[in-house]
Amino acid sequence: MRKGYDFGWILVLSTLFSFSDASSQTVNQELSNIFTELWKLDVNRLKPGTHYNISLQGKAGYIPQGSTSAVDHASSPLFSSVDEVKLNSIITYARFIKLLDNYERSTGVAERVTAEEVTENNSFLDAILETAVMKRAHRYLIGTGKSRSDLRQFKSQLYYMWFRLYHRDRNGGEDSSGFEHVFVGETKFGREIMGLHNWVQFYLQEKQELLDYKGYKARDNDVPDEDDHVLNVQFSWHGLVKPVASAFIGVSPEFEMAIFTILFLTSTEKTTTAIVNLDEYQLEMVVHRHGRSIGTAYPKMLSSNNRHL
């Protein structure tokens, strides 16, 4: 039986997932503080039970990377309802959604960016730069010497980080970007799901019956709640299975852009990780760079419901 849909939800996805002993990790207090500020400023975060509802259902089992099938522990979609009127009434979401169909799914297939798509990219950046979340992120980056105060220069910096095309596959032309990988998702050689760490894309793909939620992933003593804003999940997409992915649920596009931009710009490491306490969660934030652009970015859930305290 096909899964039915409505509109209402919020999520966070990750490529690699391992359960860590959160108590043994060193928390980055500075990043925890600025991310908490941004969390409080995120007035466009949707409210579980009001703007969307999720159905966690069963706990997903272990499957290896590259699998094409998995036992389905969820007979219904993750998102049982989402308030699409609310979602589309918020300019940052509306402009974000317009970007999701601008990409070739497969790596190795060169992207062709039209003038209209460039305009859509710029319109999205203009919208998020007007939010309190991105204004505070910009001030923080100015204060740390990582960005210029000039708004046009900051926008150009964001465009290069997130929308510059580069080679992810050595064959063919420029086939990827940070935005595509993190927020839209890609497939590699038709054998592996890459990226797709965004709850809006997850919901829309689920609604179109292109994505099938298989269940949540969690330690036995840390079972998620249906009002959690961060989840670890397993799903199939275009005939491939992602064994585990971690994603924010319900948060705004500007919030995700802000925190991952800060993490990226405040480090020069190829892969940057930071343990942060955010609201009731302890997360390991991960960013991998591709030159001066985002390669991937995602949160890993370490603990929820203040269990790390």
Side-chain angles (χ1 to χ4, degrees):
M1 181 178 293
R2 288 291 183 184
K3 301 176 179 179
Y5 298 85
D6 200 3
F7 214 111
W9 82 296
I10 301 173
L11 203 159
V12 179
L13 308 169
S14 82
T15 44
L16 296 175
F17 172 81
S18 61
F19 291 123
S20 303
D21 179 4
S23 63
S24 68
Q25 308 289 320
T26 300
V27 173
N28 186 315
Q29 196 57 54
E30 181 177 348
L31 287 179
S32 295
N33 291 344
I34 183 61
F35 290 176
T36 296
E37 280 192 60
L38 299 177
W39 180 267
K40 292 176 178 177
L41 289 171
D42 190 16
V43 296
N44 289 333
R45 182 170 63 249
L46 301 193
K47 297 178 181 177
T50 300
H51 302 130
Y52 69 94
N53 292 281
I54 62 172
S55 176
L56 292 170
Q57 302 163 83
K59 181 178 179 179
Y62 168 79
I63 59 167
Q65 186 71 35
S67 298
T68 57
S69 64
V71 176
D72 197 341
H73 294 271
S75 60
S76 299
L78 174 62
F79 289 93
S80 53
S81 68
V82 175
D83 184 348
E84 296 197 30
V85 173
K86 173 70 173 179
L87 198 68
N88 288 295
S89 71
I90 302 171
I91 188 170
T92 56
Y93 285 100
R95 293 187 181 180
F96 173 82
I97 290 168
K98 285 186 176 181
L99 308 183
L100 298 179
D101 63 355
N102 288 351
Y103 297 94
E104 295 285 346
R105 186 172 69 253
S106 299
T107 60
V109 178
E111 297 287 350
R112 292 179 174 83
V113 181
T114 66
E116 180 182 7
E117 289 170 351
V118 171
T119 298
E120 289 176 349
N121 293 342
N122 280 300
S123 294
F124 169 66
L125 290 179
D126 288 339
I128 67 172
L129 286 168
E130 287 296 316
T131 65
V133 169
M134 284 302 293
K135 287 179 179 179
R136 178 66 185 99
H138 187 200
R139 291 198 305 273
Y140 175 82
L141 290 166
I142 294 168
T144 55
K146 303 302 181 182
S147 296
R148 302 287 183 87
S149 59
D150 183 86
L151 192 60
R152 290 172 299 178
Q153 289 181 310
F154 182 51
K155 180 182 173 182
S156 295
Q157 186 180 31
L158 291 173
Y159 199 104
Y160 195 92
M161 285 174 53
W162 287 101
F163 293 106
R164 179 184 72 90
L165 294 178
Y166 53 72
H167 293 267
R168 194 174 292 274
D169 191 312
R170 294 181 180 178
N171 300 317
E174 295 174 331
D175 60 351
S176 187
S177 69
F179 184 91
E180 177 187 9
H181 181 91
V182 174
F183 294 106
V184 183
E186 305 173 289
T187 58
K188 183 178 181 180
F189 306 133
R191 298 195 298 267
E192 180 182 344
I193 298 171
M194 300 167 58
L196 209 170
H197 306 299
N198 176 259
W199 72 268
V200 176
Q201 172 70 340
F202 190 103
Y203 164 75
L204 293 174
Q205 292 294 295
E206 198 175 44
K207 183 183 177 185
Q208 296 174 60
E209 299 184 349
L210 298 173
L211 186 152
D212 186 14
Y213 170 62
K214 301 296 186 183
Y216 67 86
K217 298 288 288 185
R219 291 178 294 187
D220 291 338
N221 64 345
D222 205 15
V223 176
D225 298 325
E226 294 188 345
D227 62 353
D228 281 350
H229 280 292
V230 186
L231 289 178
N232 300 313
V233 298
Q234 184 178 102
F235 64 91
S236 64
W237 187 50
H238 293 284
L240 302 172
V241 179
K242 189 147 191 174
V244 62
S246 171
F248 286 107
I249 309 298
V251 302
S252 70
E254 57 266 29
F255 176 79
E256 292 193 77
M257 291 281 286
I259 62 173
F260 291 132
T261 294
I262 287 173
L263 187 60
F264 179 84
L265 289 177
T266 53
S267 173
T268 58
E269 298 296 323
K270 182 75 172 177
T271 299
T272 300
T273 62
I275 307 300
V276 300
N277 292 334
L278 179 65
D279 194 52
E280 65 184 54
Y281 314 103
Q282 186 166 88
L283 308 172
E284 181 180 9
M285 305 298 296
V286 181
V287 166
H288 184 80
R289 65 179 57 245
H290 194 288
R292 291 190 294 117
S293 299
I294 298 277
T296 190
Y298 54 90
K300 288 184 186 179
M301 169 78 87
L302 299 181
S303 176
S304 64
N305 297 305
N306 291 316
R307 293 187 178 98
H308 54 284
L309 298 179

